[in-house]
Amino acid sequence: MKLGEGVEQAIHSTLLLAGLDRDGVLPATALAEFHGVSASYLLKHLQALTNAGILASVPGPKGGYRLARAPAAISLLDIVLALEGSAPAFRCAEIRKQGPNPLDSQFFARPCAVNVAMLRAEQSYRAELRKVSLADLRTDPATPLGAAIEARGCAFLEQRQRRSTSTP
Amino acid sequence: MKLGEGVEQAIHSTLLLAGLDRDGVLPATALAEFHGVSASYLLKHLQALTNAGILASVPGPKGGYRLARAPAAISLLDIVLALEGSAPAFRCAEIRKQGPNPLDSQFFARPCAVNVAMLRAEQSYRAELRKVSLADLRTDPATPLGAAIEARGCAFLEQRQRRSTSTP
């Protein structure tokens, strides 16, 4: 089981965007530069986040991305599902229907016990991710790590954020 | 996030093997036939299960596969990790080290809060899978579904299981 590496890029991008001023946006190229990743690859993920209503995209030469809602209202689950899709990790193909002597069709009205157990585990995974918001992930700026993260983000945003009055 | 389709095949194969007699083994071709799947593809999964100590393989023309331990001692987690590997689904590349203004190296002694949260969710997923054994997945043979599953498995094993006295 493997999540795409875009998940890490997406989470850290949204965390950086959480530091924008109210009227600020940040272009995809700046987000890619900050994280040292490919802009074209990141753009795909930013579009997925926009399609999922996590980011808002302001078009035009002064445009860019901002969060579409408050950091406390964006969970890790929202971001993972936006990038990876909402289909369960375990896809039951009902192989009990296959082979020379399949089970009678009457038994497929209810899901297979294997599928039920696999989905229950994934529900537990998703419930944990749902509990953690971008606001929770902000490190306390009173700690040395938190201060360093904030200083790094602020210095970058100071230089690169654009001011936009357009409604996304 | 997606599990390989081999996971379903592996779980149902081990469930079928749980019905073997004490000295019985089943060749990979029979397991593939029962489930209507590719034998060469299934073989790869059976080898992974054998490497993980879930199956025992008896070589030779009368050989085949059997469970290496009791159904109650084989969990869904054992099977998933055997096939998918034990690396976490979220692989932290520490992208905070990248870009033109990376965080100072002193901060990487402790894992990133994003990684901690992602791993915590996966621990919860794994804990749920660890709770479910092959024994738990056996459907009560007193129910119509359980009786049908048992009859289907028994009829097939009756025909296709081989007797082996070799120690796997």
Side-chain angles (χ1 to χ4, degrees), chain B residues 71-82:
Chain B
I74 298 171
S75 72
L76 283 182
L77 181 64
D78 294 332
I79 298 173
V80 169
L81 295 186

Side-chain angles (χ1 to χ4, degrees), chain A residues 1-3 8 33-36 84 89 91 93-95 98-101 107 118 121 124-125 129 144-145 148 152, chain B residues 1-3 8 33-36 84 89 91 93-95 98-101 107 121 124-125 129 144-145 148 152:
Chain A
M1 192 163 71
K2 192 172 186 311
L3 289 165
E8 184 185 17
E33 181 193 334
F34 183 77
H35 295 114
E84 299 277 317
R91 323 265 163 105
E94 266 299 10
I95 64 173
Q98 297 173 199
N101 182 23
F107 295 118
M118 296 299 291
S124 170
Y125 176 74
L129 292 183
L145 171 61
R152 178 184 182 225
Chain B
M1 193 164 69
K2 191 171 186 308
L3 289 164
E8 183 183 20
E33 181 191 333
F34 183 78
H35 294 115
E84 299 277 319
R91 323 265 164 107
E94 266 298 12
I95 62 173
Q98 296 172 200
N101 182 23
F107 295 119
S124 169
Y125 177 73
L129 292 183
L145 171 60
R152 177 185 182 228

Side-chain angles (χ1 to χ4, degrees), chain A residues 1-5 7-13 15 32-37 76 80 84-85 87-104 106-107 112-114 117-118 120-126 128-129 132 137 139 144-146 148-149 151-153 155-156, chain B residues 1-5 7-13 15 32-37 76 80 84-85 87-104 106-107 112-114 117-118 120-126 128-129 132 137 139 144-146 148-149 151-153 155-156:
Chain A
M1 192 163 71
K2 192 172 186 311
L3 289 165
E5 57 185 7
V7 172
E8 184 185 17
Q9 299 178 15
I11 296 169
H12 284 280
S13 292
L15 281 169
E33 181 193 334
F34 183 77
H35 295 114
V37 299
L76 284 182
V80 168
E84 299 277 317
F90 180 78
R91 323 265 163 105
C92 174
E94 266 299 10
I95 64 173
R96 303 177 304 168
K97 281 182 184 169
Q98 297 173 199
N101 182 23
L103 273 185
D104 192 273
Q106 64 170 302
F107 295 118
C112 174
V114 171
M118 296 299 291
R120 190 182 298 128
E122 190 159 358
Q123 276 163 3
S124 170
Y125 176 74
R126 293 187 179 195
E128 285 299 319
L129 292 183
V132 184
L137 288 171
T139 313
L145 171 61
I149 290 176
R152 178 184 182 225
F156 188 83
Chain B
M1 193 164 69
K2 191 171 186 308
L3 289 164
E5 58 186 4
V7 173
E8 183 183 20
Q9 299 178 14
I11 297 169
H12 283 280
S13 292
L15 282 168
E33 181 191 333
F34 183 78
H35 294 115
V37 299
L76 283 182
V80 169
E84 299 277 319
F90 180 77
R91 323 265 164 107
C92 173
E94 266 298 12
I95 62 173
R96 301 177 305 168
K97 283 183 183 168
Q98 296 172 200
N101 182 23
L103 272 185
D104 192 273
Q106 61 168 305
F107 295 119
C112 174
V114 171
M118 295 299 291
R120 190 181 297 129
E122 190 158 0
Q123 278 163 0
S124 169
Y125 177 73
R126 292 188 179 194
E128 285 298 319
L129 292 183
V132 184
L137 288 170
T139 313
L145 171 60
I149 289 175
R152 177 185 182 228
F156 188 82

